[in-house]
Amino acid sequence: HRDLHSFPTRRSSDLDFCNQLALEKHFTRQANKNQALLEVQSKLITEVSAGRVDKVKKELTAITKNLGEKSFYRLKWEGYLALKEKNYAEAEALYRKALAKNPLDKEARINLALALLGQKKRSEAEKIYKQLKSEFPMDEVVAKLGTAF
């Protein structure tokens, strides 16, 4: 007959330590993912500034590999490329999908308004502008968007 107290039991401090390790691993993975995303974003901005759209499309592959095909950042960048190519309907669709994932992103909202303006959907674009203006009254890019109205 064994004494029940002789069996090893988990103490709460052991569980706390295990939880702490799990959290540490999670946050380390997330930090690495964020770092990779920042590096890709930096490359995309450099390529866009240099007018190398073909290289931007190549870099989007890295975003897909790291974050998935339907990631907010991929949708936002694809929307930007569609907007740059004056494919306003596609840009609108991509920005709407991106904003469904991150509705507060200012840049995506501004570019959605531009895509709508490109399709002569002025009243819908103006609604977005008014909302942005109320949230960011001193923002220069928002003010520049306002010149379209």
Side-chain angles (χ1 to χ4, degrees):
H1 163 2
R2 289 187 153 176
D3 184 0
L4 288 177
H5 296 292
S6 66
F7 288 107
T9 59
R10 285 191 175 256
R11 294 181 301 239
S12 67
S13 62
D14 291 339
L15 289 174
D16 289 345
F17 181 72
C18 289
N19 288 337
Q20 184 178 351
L21 283 177
L23 281 173
E24 205 171 291
K25 284 180 182 178
H26 167 76
F27 285 114
T28 299
R29 276 192 310 271
Q30 191 60 46
N32 291 339
K33 200 179 217 185
N34 290 346
Q35 182 62 38
L37 177 61
L38 286 172
E39 289 171 11
V40 171
Q41 288 271 87
S42 178
K43 287 178 187 176
L44 289 170
I45 290 167
T46 300
E47 299 302 344
V48 163
S49 298
R52 294 187 291 256
V53 175
D54 56 321
K55 290 206 176 197
V56 172
K57 289 179 181 181
K58 184 179 177 186
E59 289 298 329
L60 284 175
T61 305
I63 288 177
T64 302
K65 189 170 76 175
N66 290 329
L67 300 175
E69 184 144 335
K70 295 182 180 180
S71 81
F72 166 75
Y73 293 103
R74 180 176 174 99
L75 292 166
K76 186 174 162 180
W77 275 100
E78 284 183 345
Y80 174 79
L81 292 175
L83 190 61
K84 196 157 180 68
E85 294 169 346
K86 297 182 182 185
N87 187 343
Y88 300 119
E90 183 180 348
E92 176 189 356
L94 289 163
Y95 280 118
R96 288 192 187 283
K97 287 178 185 176
L99 287 166
K101 295 177 178 289
N102 186 356
L104 301 177
D105 187 81
K106 178 178 66 171
E107 187 177 90
R109 290 159 59 198
I110 289 169
N111 287 343
L112 173 58
L114 292 172
L116 291 167
L117 284 171
Q119 298 175 82
K120 309 226 184 312
K121 297 179 179 180
R122 185 181 165 86
S123 64
E124 197 174 349
E126 190 170 11
K127 262 194 213 171
I128 293 169
Y129 163 71
K130 286 179 179 178
Q131 187 177 19
L132 286 164
K133 181 147 176 65
S134 72
E135 292 175 39
F136 307 99
M138 304 302 288
D139 189 279
E140 292 178 23
V141 179
V142 173
K144 189 174 179 182
L145 175 62
T147 62
F149 304 104

